[in-house]
Amino acid sequence: MLIEPQFRTKFADAVWGTMERLSRMAAFESALASAQAKVGLIPRSAAKTITQICNGPLPKASNVYEEAIVAGNPAIPFLKILTVSVNAKDSGATAYVHFGSTSQDLIDSAHMMALTKIADALDASLQQVASELRRLTTTHAETPMVSRTLLQQATPITFGLKAGLWGTAITQARQQLKVARINDMAVQLGGSNGALSAMAPHGPKVRADVAAQLGLADPGYCWHTLRSRVLTISAVLAVVVGVTAKIAGDCLLMMQTEVGEVQESFPGESSAMPHKKNPVHALVPVAALPLVATHLATLAGSQMHAHERAPGSWHTEWITLPVLTCLTLASVERVKEMISGLKINIPQMRANLALTRGTLAAEELVTTLAAGIARDEAHNLVDDLLKQSQNNNFSETVRSNSKVSELLTKEKIAEILGYKQTLTAAAREAQRLAKTINDV
Amino acid sequence: MLIEPQFRTKFADAVWGTMERLSRMAAFESALASAQAKVGLIPRSAAKTITQICNGPLPKASNVYEEAIVAGNPAIPFLKILTVSVNAKDSGATAYVHFGSTSQDLIDSAHMMALTKIADALDASLQQVASELRRLTTTHAETPMVSRTLLQQATPITFGLKAGLWGTAITQARQQLKVARINDMAVQLGGSNGALSAMAPHGPKVRADVAAQLGLADPGYCWHTLRSRVLTISAVLAVVVGVTAKIAGDCLLMMQTEVGEVQESFPGESSAMPHKKNPVHALVPVAALPLVATHLATLAGSQMHAHERAPGSWHTEWITLPVLTCLTLASVERVKEMISGLKINIPQMRANLALTRGTLAAEELVTTLAAGIARDEAHNLVDDLLKQSQNNNFSETVRSNSKVSELLTKEKIAEILGYKQTLTAAAREAQRLAKTINDV
Amino acid sequence: MLIEPQFRTKFADAVWGTMERLSRMAAFESALASAQAKVGLIPRSAAKTITQICNGPLPKASNVYEEAIVAGNPAIPFLKILTVSVNAKDSGATAYVHFGSTSQDLIDSAHMMALTKIADALDASLQQVASELRRLTTTHAETPMVSRTLLQQATPITFGLKAGLWGTAITQARQQLKVARINDMAVQLGGSNGALSAMAPHGPKVRADVAAQLGLADPGYCWHTLRSRVLTISAVLAVVVGVTAKIAGDCLLMMQTEVGEVQESFPGESSAMPHKKNPVHALVPVAALPLVATHLATLAGSQMHAHERAPGSWHTEWITLPVLTCLTLASVERVKEMISGLKINIPQMRANLALTRGTLAAEELVTTLAAGIARDEAHNLVDDLLKQSQNNNFSETVRSNSKVSELLTKEKIAEILGYKQTLTAAAREAQRLAKTINDV
Amino acid sequence: MLIEPQFRTKFADAVWGTMERLSRMAAFESALASAQAKVGLIPRSAAKTITQICNGPLPKASNVYEEAIVAGNPAIPFLKILTVSVNAKDSGATAYVHFGSTSQDLIDSAHMMALTKIADALDASLQQVASELRRLTTTHAETPMVSRTLLQQATPITFGLKAGLWGTAITQARQQLKVARINDMAVQLGGSNGALSAMAPHGPKVRADVAAQLGLADPGYCWHTLRSRVLTISAVLAVVVGVTAKIAGDCLLMMQTEVGEVQESFPGESSAMPHKKNPVHALVPVAALPLVATHLATLAGSQMHAHERAPGSWHTEWITLPVLTCLTLASVERVKEMISGLKINIPQMRANLALTRGTLAAEELVTTLAAGIARDEAHNLVDDLLKQSQNNNFSETVRSNSKVSELLTKEKIAEILGYKQTLTAAAREAQRLAKTINDV
């Protein structure tokens, strides 16, 4: 239990479980034999045997990963077991198991198959997050709250705008995931040295066929030691976790006792303090992000694969991708839970907005006054008003100032102090963003 | 001199120098005023004044970055100085400097402008690397050498195949860079809270216009705290460095005294040993990769920007992007130097291929024999031959074996021991790859 | 200007400036010649010449780092220039410049000299931070505030306890820095292969003497490719930045408009919003930490130095240590500024403590009641009281509850609701910690 | 199976398995109750009950980590189950379960207990590695081989010197591990806010007692959000992995077909190429290092724990420490296997040394000649000789040069070309290092 269940999902456990791992290796060998038979590289009967064996259960296969300790990789014991089974059925077919291929073809392609399955699962979960966020964006398009820059209250927005930007980020992440799914999750087939000599001149055709059978992209060349696609895919996973952490992080700040704007639907208890309502779901992406980020660095730093197969850099990927994807899946899952049950405290949002008693109108007041007097003068006037009010009752101070009354009508002053312009603009932007959030 | 010149380029120094930094900030303010005047948000005369000032030299601007120490960011002192200059020319125009915008718009957009300039420079250098590699691929399509997996001699390839795969990786990296250039290097414009309320209802139009003027993408929304594009761009830079390090790393291994297949054109001397011919250019990308990789992690881990502007995570980007891009530029520059002068020792490549005296034919021999006898039997036979030859004279051992002679003709045996199939396949693949290396 | 001045210090600029870099290399060569003359390895007259030249200005030395681009490292051009100067004075002495040494000895030792200077500067600044924190700990030993776990209000503490723990962390960091300064900042001397053959049998003695002259530790062996000390030192720097970021991070949270417990003495302005009081100093360590952390990873991941000198991994250190130390110095400097001027809002601390109207006493109430009734029963009773009060007026609800009144005296209830026990304990712990904060 | 068995050990699986995790939590609660009873904070009978329950099997405890998903941490469900069991035996004792403590005390202390167990296991394995290396150092003190800087042949050393430096690094790592074991692996006890108010005035005494019972250090204060010790310990683990990767990395380079100086005792087969002898053990530390390095960054970057308990940064540790320690254990285990069976090819070491036919003597030749003629002249003479010999037969060229014969005796020339001085020095240094390698 190197990763506690809190940071995993059942789906992640299954994808990286021995059974699915073996089943992906079998699917690769089956696809390879089938593709090779089609172009006449191996006999159809041998391909049929191999394919049949690969589609059934392999006896003793559960030891493959233990045997990799001495073999150096799991492909070698897997192929031994597969060959034994093939031999039992048709000894003539053994010569065509894994024909012209190499361990790396098998292991890389199997990893890519896992990634496509994960990408599809992530997309499905993110679609649900997007849907919830679209709903929140529309529902709260006009719910006023304060924006915060450098953790200081800035100017008024609406909660819909905040949710709309979260949703936009999810939509973007899904788009990037789709591109990576289509372009970068590719079959690896190069044989022992990248030239596919044993399959010549059918190599490229076999590669394309295997790719199609396994639902992978056909890269058009052997990428055994050109690993940019592993980095590109992982960067997208880091984007996904980044978005979930951004949303969870904002919520954690809004959940603070002194802020109190949102709460999880079933907050956690404390082992000691009965009054505590602890965030639970929100913790997961926030905890995962730093680890996902450094897993990305691991893969980026391990791009320098030596010659035609790297001792070390390649193996680093094997121990990086499972944890990286597991944390991504868990982050999305938990943000989905958090968002779908999020309790929103509208009165508290209003109360926080009112906390500085009109002070947040200072920027717009300067801008508006500067249409009539010099900007410097306007800025100094507002500064004086801020000082007079001691951040305590700015609205009142503004209203009773004769200079301001001279320059602006009562209605205009009321509009500014009521944050009309910015709330209207935020609501409009929220509605516009809602339309762009893809929830299908 | 935090980064020694060895790991910088003159171009990088200029892009991140004070002058170009200030000039980008001025260009942003100019574009903003111009765009706002077009839609009637600010007077045309004010825009004209601002634009004129921004296109000229700003007095005292060289202190901007020092003043940022107490201001918190360089935008604030920059805007003060700009306003003073505008005021000196047309006091009425001061109200329209940076109208409805905020520090982050200015800083983020200026960073993106730097990135586009860097992307263009990288593309130009990579194009030259691709051109050299295409040449090497064609020239050496048939130059035999050995492939190495896990640093062990594997099977024969040609140097053209190796160079062709390097070139393919460069082509791919350029393609990714182009996509990032077009999609992800975007203007930032959101105002104090993301709603562009002071520019309503012209906000989106102004944003698109500013983007067009600055040669940036129009993101269509405010990304002040949605930072995935910073990560996506940086991941592509890491891909670029990864490719250069892969090429340099392979060359470092080939430069080993015991391998001796390539050499830099002007190798370095040793401070102590007169006989040394040290790699110089190759060191740079290999040294840069681990740092570029962790800079990527820094950006990935800093995606959780709090609310509408992050205290810390945002500032982390400022100190990460310059070094990251500088190291990328230096890596490409130095690999370009290395590749364009690379001395290739063809006889030594042949000598290394002959080192194990035919042993590398073992795989193909098994495969060929397995057409006639059971694969197991073929494998065991070749294993015996390997043991007999003690990895010393496999060719001779094979030729004089009666069982082999029974199964294969002399011509076939000669072909296998001469690596005909794999060398032919490698040459063909090299020629095919050469055509796909984009060097324009 | 790869790193903006906001994240540097003048001291850092000087230490990594060309002049101090050259001066350290000269000091190394001077110490080496001097030590070698003492044991009779080189003539005293030659040593005298070398030492004199090294203590004066070297003509043309300013180009050394530019020349490193083609030489591969700065030691080679430096030694050429040094030899020219020595030759001009005493041609016979040139044979004894850098005698039996190698580039790596010079570069590694010079880096270590920089690190000792930085360690001393850091210690001096940290001492001032500790002194301020000790003062705050004592002054505010009894200033009540709320503790926060998972950003939820937990139980009352005093600000002195918080400051006392910050100070304890600074004291610990200084202690670790001292150990690294004494044990790990060591001279490197091994010659071309680690055996110091040209200095035999005086190698170890020369190494010890050079170490002593340069204020470095004598490692007792050649660590040219055993780099753990670089990692160990850097880990301590990361601890230092971690502590400053912890302090700054807590302050950033306390500076939030809704919390308002502390403020910087000269907060930053906004480029748009006149009412903003932005944190400035606090941003620096918070921005630096993620980059310092990944620089540490870079060094940790680069420990695998090949054979007797690494192509790449070694050079990575050169570009990592300057930025890493620069960010460390800036972080400490800025936290010192922040802490020394920190405005503490005691009434607001009290107001936040009162926000949940007694609710924070729930834990102690359970514990106290559980002395008289079953713990389960006590827990359920307090849960009921929390629900009745709706987190709104827990104190009142408790006081008017008959069951509670039955079990506890009025005085005991008042004590619990007045947080007497925990505030007393926090004050006592603050006073105890104050004594352990080393500010000398 | 997020981490494949190849990169784990049985010991790591057990330490982080549910059973040992629960058992550590139970041990903490037992120690706490026992310590509290001793000072009279809780009744002795209650402590006895708690201790007894903690030392036995806890029913339903296997679900604790699943329940943490909704509880937020495993301490809460663990304590519920523990309380149920205590209640069944003595309902009065339930009030004293986890008395005055909090989830973080339990979780942090349990993690530290795991770390001590791991440190002890690592030390035992490293001791065996040191013992083997000490043996190799002595046995091969005089076995000549070539040193390599920047992967170019430098000057002669002995294999004993190389092994001796490896062993020295292991000894140093063990020493650092011991310091971390004693100083940094400390109990965490602070209660809900760090003041241990419920245990006042006995808090410090209880903490010391609990520490002693659990074999942990007594930190003397509450470190709930001061996490430097986690970083310090992890940095030492990274040092351990760094040393193993350095050794394995050198061996991988020496295993290259073209170098052939060492081999694993049972090299791996290839799935395709019968002649391959692949490294297996050596891959593990080399693959693990980049991931261990970035796990260290994760912990360094997560030091900024908010207030009195961090939402996220704390939880990041939970998912970082198990994988980090698992990879450390596996790296040491596999290097132990590799070293204990390492096949050393002495003739090949000699052959590689002879490869450049005397060229490696160039440095010493210059130094020796420079005693008689100007250094410049000596350098130029040797350069000429190198050019004449075309790196092909330097020895012969030197011997037949009249200028050299004039300056040096035949015996001296033979000594230099026989590498006498450097081989003697290397052998002496190897013997000296052997004595400092601690293998007990």
Side-chain angles (χ1 to χ4, degrees), chain C residues 165 168-169 172-173 176 235 238-239 243, chain D residues 108-109 111-112 115 179-189 207 216-237 296 299-300 303 317 321 324:
Chain C
L165 285 166
T168 300
Q172 294 270 326
Q176 288 189 260
V239 162
V243 176
Chain D
D108 280 349
S109 297
H111 280 154
M112 284 290 163
L115 290 174
V179 172
R181 171 73 178 82
I182 291 169
N183 292 349
D184 297 302
M185 297 186 187
V187 81
Q188 159 61 16
L189 194 64
R207 185 157 50 209
L216 296 171
D218 174 15
Y221 60 94
C222 165
W223 51 275
H224 49 186
T225 54
L226 307 175
R227 312 303 288 185
S228 64
R229 71 187 60 239
V230 177
L231 173 55
T232 301
I233 295 164
S234 303
V236 176
L237 297 175
L296 181 62
L299 293 169
Q303 286 177 93
E317 293 178 9
L321 288 172
L324 170 58

Side-chain angles (χ1 to χ4, degrees), chain C residues 157-170:
Chain C
I157 53 171
T158 66
F159 180 57
L161 175 57
K162 191 180 266 279
L165 285 166
W166 291 345
T168 300
I170 296 283

Side-chain angles (χ1 to χ4, degrees), chain A residues 102 190-195 197 224-225 306-309, chain B residues 143-159 161-162 165 246 250 254 261 349 352-354 356 360 363 419 422-423 426, chain D residues 257-258 273 275-276 278:
Chain A
T102 190
S192 67
N193 62 24
S197 51
H224 50 185
T225 53
H307 287 316
E308 282 70 38
R309 183 173 315 157
Chain B
T143 303
M145 73 177 296
V146 72
S147 74
R148 294 164 181 109
T149 58
L150 307 180
L151 294 183
Q152 301 300 302
Q153 290 200 352
T155 50
I157 51 171
T158 67
F159 180 56
L161 174 58
K162 192 180 264 279
L165 284 166
K246 157 65 179 164
D250 277 2
M254 294 162 83
E261 294 176 343
M349 287 179 175
N352 289 333
L353 189 57
T356 59
L360 311 176
E363 179 189 9
Y419 307 133
T422 182
L423 289 175
Chain D
T257 310
E258 294 85 356
M273 295 167 280
H275 70 277
K276 286 287 295 288
N278 286 327

Side-chain angles (χ1 to χ4, degrees), chain C residues 52-61 81 85:
Chain C
Q52 280 176 348
I53 299 287
C54 285
N55 289 332
L58 276 179
K60 299 203 182 170
I81 288 168
S85 286

Side-chain angles (χ1 to χ4, degrees), chain B residues 23-324:
Chain B
S23 142
R24 287 191 294 268
M25 288 204 281
F28 174 84
E29 294 299 336
S30 170
L32 181 66
S34 159
Q36 289 175 333
K38 282 185 221 164
V39 296
L41 277 168
I42 70 170
R44 286 193 173 267
S45 64
K48 200 175 160 191
T49 302
I50 294 167
T51 305
Q52 279 177 348
I53 299 288
C54 284
N55 289 331
L58 277 179
K60 300 201 182 171
S62 62
N63 293 327
V64 158
Y65 286 89
E66 289 294 334
E67 285 165 25
I69 296 174
V70 294
N73 74 49
I76 293 166
F78 173 79
L79 290 168
K80 277 196 184 154
I81 287 168
L82 175 58
T83 304
V84 167
S85 287
V86 167
N87 190 49
K89 192 162 183 180
D90 170 6
S91 70
T94 56
Y96 305 108
V97 170
H98 194 60
F99 180 77
S101 184
T102 190
S103 296
Q104 185 158 13
D105 294 339
L106 177 50
I107 291 172
D108 280 348
S109 296
H111 279 155
M112 284 289 162
M113 290 166 72
L115 290 174
T116 57
K117 198 168 172 189
I118 289 162
D120 292 343
L122 285 172
D123 187 66
S125 289
L126 288 169
Q127 182 255 316
Q128 292 176 270
V129 178
S131 179
E132 284 295 327
L133 288 174
R134 185 171 177 160
R135 189 181 55 76
L136 287 179
T137 304
T138 310
T139 310
H140 295 282
E142 299 185 9
T143 303
M145 73 177 296
V146 72
S147 74
R148 294 164 181 109
T149 58
L150 307 180
L151 294 183
Q152 301 300 302
Q153 290 200 352
T155 50
I157 51 171
T158 67
F159 180 56
L161 174 58
K162 192 180 264 279
L165 284 166
W166 291 345
T168 300
I170 296 283
T171 298
Q172 294 269 327
R174 287 180 72 198
Q175 180 58 27
Q176 287 190 260
L177 197 57
K178 191 169 293 175
V179 171
R181 171 74 177 81
I182 293 170
N183 293 346
D184 297 303
M185 297 186 187
V187 80
Q188 159 60 17
L189 193 64
S192 67
N193 62 24
L196 286 183
S197 50
M199 305 184 204
H202 303 295
K205 204 167 174 185
V206 170
R207 184 158 51 208
D209 189 347
V210 173
Q213 289 183 62
L214 301 177
L216 295 172
D218 173 16
Y221 61 93
C222 165
W223 52 276
H224 49 186
T225 52
L226 307 176
R227 313 303 288 185
S228 65
R229 69 187 62 237
V230 177
L231 173 55
T232 301
I233 294 164
S234 303
V236 176
L237 297 175
V239 162
V240 168
V241 179
V243 176
T244 61
K246 157 65 179 164
I247 298 172
D250 277 2
C251 287
L252 279 172
L253 289 171
M254 294 162 83
M255 285 173 198
Q256 290 175 98
T257 310
E258 293 85 355
V259 178
E261 294 176 343
V262 299
Q263 200 175 55
E264 291 193 6
S265 51
F266 299 101
E269 299 168 11
S270 155
S271 73
M273 294 166 279
H275 69 279
K276 286 287 294 288
K277 303 285 179 217
N278 286 327
V280 173
H281 297 308
L283 301 175
V284 174
V286 175
L289 180 61
L291 203 49
V292 165
T294 58
H295 275 68
L296 181 63
T298 305
L299 294 169
S302 299
Q303 287 178 92
M304 199 175 74
H305 281 224
H307 288 317
E308 280 71 39
R309 186 175 312 158
S313 305
W314 181 41
H315 306 81
T316 297
E317 293 178 9
W318 310 356
I319 38 176
T320 303
L321 287 172
V323 176
L324 171 58

Side-chain angles (χ1 to χ4, degrees), chain C residues 67-322:
Chain C
E67 285 165 25
I69 295 174
V70 293
N73 75 49
I76 294 166
F78 172 79
L79 290 168
K80 276 194 186 157
I81 288 168
L82 174 58
T83 304
V84 168
S85 286
V86 167
N87 190 49
K89 192 160 182 182
D90 170 8
S91 69
T94 56
Y96 306 108
V97 170
H98 193 61
F99 180 78
S101 184
T102 191
S103 296
Q104 184 157 12
D105 294 339
L106 177 49
I107 291 172
D108 280 349
S109 296
H111 279 155
M112 284 290 163
M113 290 166 71
L115 290 174
T116 57
K117 199 170 172 188
I118 289 162
D120 293 343
L122 284 172
D123 187 65
S125 289
L126 287 169
Q127 182 257 314
Q128 291 176 271
V129 178
S131 179
E132 284 295 327
L133 288 174
R134 185 172 177 159
R135 190 182 54 76
L136 287 179
T137 304
T138 310
T139 310
H140 295 283
E142 299 185 9
T143 302
M145 73 177 296
V146 72
S147 75
R148 296 165 179 107
T149 59
L150 307 180
L151 294 184
Q152 302 298 304
Q153 289 200 352
T155 50
I157 53 171
T158 66
F159 180 57
L161 175 57
K162 191 180 266 279
L165 285 166
W166 291 345
T168 300
I170 296 283
T171 298
Q172 294 270 326
R174 287 180 72 199
Q175 181 56 26
Q176 288 189 260
L177 197 57
K178 189 168 295 175
V179 172
R181 170 75 177 80
I182 293 169
N183 292 347
D184 297 303
M185 297 186 187
V187 80
Q188 159 61 16
L189 193 64
S192 66
N193 62 24
L196 286 182
S197 50
M199 305 184 205
H202 303 295
K205 203 167 175 185
V206 170
R207 184 157 52 209
D209 189 347
V210 174
Q213 288 184 63
L214 302 177
L216 295 172
D218 173 15
Y221 61 93
C222 165
W223 51 276
H224 50 186
T225 52
L226 307 175
R227 312 303 288 185
S228 64
R229 69 187 63 237
V230 177
L231 173 55
T232 301
I233 294 164
S234 303
V236 176
L237 297 176
V239 162
V240 169
V241 178
V243 176
T244 62
K246 157 66 179 164
I247 299 173
D250 277 3
C251 287
L252 277 172
L253 290 171
M254 294 163 83
M255 285 173 198
Q256 289 175 99
T257 310
E258 294 85 356
V259 177
E261 294 176 344
V262 299
Q263 201 174 55
E264 292 193 5
S265 52
F266 299 101
E269 298 169 11
S270 156
S271 73
M273 295 166 278
H275 69 279
K276 285 289 294 287
K277 303 286 179 218
N278 286 327
V280 173
H281 296 309
L283 300 175
V284 174
V286 175
L289 181 60
L291 202 49
V292 165
T294 57
H295 275 67
L296 181 63
T298 304
L299 293 169
S302 300
Q303 287 178 93
M304 199 174 74
H305 281 224
H307 286 317
E308 281 70 39
R309 187 175 312 159
S313 306
W314 180 42
H315 307 81
T316 297
E317 292 178 9
W318 309 357
I319 37 176
T320 302
L321 287 172

